[in-house]
Amino acid sequence: VWKKNDADHRTGELSHRGPVLLQYFGSQTGLMRWYPGRPAWRSPLNFDPRERPWYVVAASGPKKVVLVLDRSGSMNTGTRWADTVLAAKTVLDTLTVYDWVNVVLFSSEAESLECFGQRLVRATPANVMKLTGYIESELPKGGTNFGTGLELAFDMLDANTDVGCNPLILFMTDGKDTIDKDGSQNEELVRTRNERHGGAVKVFAYGVSKEASDDAPERIARAASGVYQKIVDSANLKSVMSQYYQYLARGAEQTYSFS
């Protein structure tokens, strides 16, 4: 039935706009159809349409994304920092010019790329390249204060309320806060700051090691109607990082159009 409806749509029998000349289709399970077909084209073994910008923007709509990355000394353990950098780059690579973005790095204090400051910038290739270079140039050091990173992230969203997009914070850590050990203070921080946005900000938290402590980042995510997930190894990293926009797609009630 799906194949017949798809074919009828392309030929104009189910479309008021006439025949479809070009079409990409990607499903939540990773299935892709490309019209018109190209028999000689074979996708790479690691190709996943759900990671392509055209899928992400159609599935989740335009977004305001603040990546909050734990850059404390404990992230030097094993591949924690390397996995965090790869995870952040995976997200940045899916963004398009319809999205707005910035990056916060935190340890004992929080900081962002100096030339962007607290502004969210369009996710153009040039801006994404600057943010990627910024992340790649940094090394873990210092203590761990979740609150300072979250405060700066909300400051960025507060300063860009005129941008009508889904506001998101993607928070990555090994789960060890030396200030708020049980996560209760940061949970209250997120809930209070989110009230200024009418509760619209969603926080997705990620533990970047098998040993990551779950309780504190999970409480942060729950406080903003988000989800906590653990990245157990780099093999499942892309799959885990893609689920934030699949979550948005399942919960989306608004239809977006782009021109």
Side-chain angles (χ1 to χ4, degrees):
V1 174
W2 181 86
K3 288 184 178 179
K4 183 180 186 306
N5 287 342
D6 186 43
D8 289 345
H9 175 70
R10 292 203 197 105
T11 58
E13 294 180 26
L14 295 180
S15 174
H16 299 298
R17 300 182 180 179
V20 174
L21 302 180
L22 177 65
Q23 181 188 63
Y24 285 170
F25 170 82
S27 75
Q28 289 188 4
T29 60
L31 170 70
M32 178 179 176
R33 294 194 71 178
W34 183 352
Y35 179 83
R38 298 175 62 183
W41 185 80
R42 291 187 177 183
S43 64
L45 291 177
N46 62 348
F47 179 82
D48 189 335
R50 294 169 297 180
E51 299 168 9
R52 304 303 301 157
W54 59 264
Y55 177 91
V56 176
V57 73
S60 60
K63 301 171 293 299
K64 294 185 290 188
V65 180
V66 182
L67 290 162
V68 182
L69 312 182
D70 184 346
R71 193 199 51 182
S72 61
S74 62
M75 296 292 283
N76 264 320
T77 304
T79 62
R80 293 179 188 181
W81 180 243
D83 288 345
T84 299
V85 171
L86 181 57
K89 290 169 62 177
T90 297
V91 172
L92 289 172
D93 287 344
T94 66
L95 301 179
T96 74
V97 293
Y98 299 111
D99 301 312
W100 298 76
V101 65
N102 206 335
V103 172
V104 172
L105 302 182
F106 74 91
S107 51
S108 302
E109 302 293 335
E111 62 181 49
S112 59
L113 184 61
E114 185 175 358
C115 63
F116 292 160
Q118 294 187 17
R119 294 182 299 119
L120 295 182
V121 297
R122 280 199 181 274
T124 62
N127 287 338
V128 167
M129 185 178 298
K130 289 179 181 179
L131 291 170
T132 299
Y134 171 55
I135 297 168
E136 291 179 331
S137 69
E138 296 294 320
L139 293 173
K141 59 184 178 182
T144 312
N145 185 347
F146 289 5
T148 189
L150 291 166
E151 289 279 15
L152 182 53
F154 274 103
D155 287 346
M156 291 178 176
L157 294 174
D158 289 349
N160 293 268
T161 55
D162 56 323
V163 180
C165 308
N166 291 318
L168 308 172
I169 293 174
L170 304 186
F171 183 87
M172 303 180 202
T173 180
D174 61 1
K176 300 176 180 179
D177 189 338
T178 54
I179 306 298
D180 178 25
K181 297 186 182 299
D182 67 355
S184 59
Q185 296 176 35
N186 290 319
E187 181 180 14
E188 183 60 27
L189 182 158
V190 169
R191 186 174 289 112
T192 301
R193 294 294 301 264
N194 204 4
E195 289 176 355
R196 303 180 189 177
H197 299 264
V201 179
K202 299 292 185 292
V203 177
F204 295 84
Y206 303 89
V208 292
S209 76
K210 293 179 181 179
E211 299 79 19
S213 175
D214 297 332
D215 187 56
E218 188 171 7
R219 293 181 70 163
I220 290 169
R222 284 203 314 263
S225 302
V227 176
Y228 170 74
Q229 291 181 282
K230 183 172 289 188
I231 301 173
V232 296
D233 57 57
S234 56
N236 76 335
L237 187 148
K238 287 188 175 182
S239 174
V240 171
M241 296 310 301
S242 71
Q243 292 180 26
Y244 84 90
Y245 53 79
Q246 293 183 45
Y247 174 92
L248 293 178
R250 288 193 296 268
E253 298 179 354
Q254 184 174 357
T255 300
Y256 297 91
S257 61
F258 305 96
S259 59

